[in-house]
Amino acid sequence: MAEFRKWMDELPLWLKIVFALPGIDGIMYGIYRIAKGDTPNLVLGIIWLVAGTMITWVLDIAFLLWKGKVLEIE
């Protein structure tokens, strides 16, 4: 799972934004958060698997444009 997170972190910004589009976001960034392994991000990742396809993709795009990375709990 660490390889997946590293691969996602090294992608160019435009491709990260493509992965944050509705439908794809829930899967890609849900798994990305789950792969971090700590409990808060595990819960957030599970929520993202369901809600990422409908609602929360907007947050991921906003955070990517603002900070260059998706919303995570540090």
Side-chain angles (χ1 to χ4, degrees):
M1 288 302 228
E3 298 88 24
F4 178 73
R5 285 186 61 89
K6 184 177 186 233
W7 175 73
M8 290 287 289
D9 287 337
E10 293 173 353
L11 292 174
L13 182 60
W14 68 269
L15 190 53
K16 289 179 183 180
I17 291 172
V18 169
F19 285 152
L21 293 175
I24 304 169
D25 180 66
I27 298 165
M28 294 299 288
Y29 286 112
I31 294 170
Y32 177 81
R33 289 175 175 93
I34 290 170
K36 188 163 187 182
D38 58 352
T39 304
N41 282 306
L42 178 66
V43 172
L44 191 60
I46 292 169
I47 291 169
W48 234 261
L49 285 173
V50 177
T53 59
M54 300 174 281
I55 301 166
T56 55
W57 61 272
V58 176
L59 289 173
D60 277 342
I61 290 177
F63 272 84
L64 282 168
L65 293 173
W66 180 36
K67 291 184 161 187
K69 63 179 191 172
V70 294
L71 173 66
E72 285 187 295
I73 300 171
E74 296 296 325

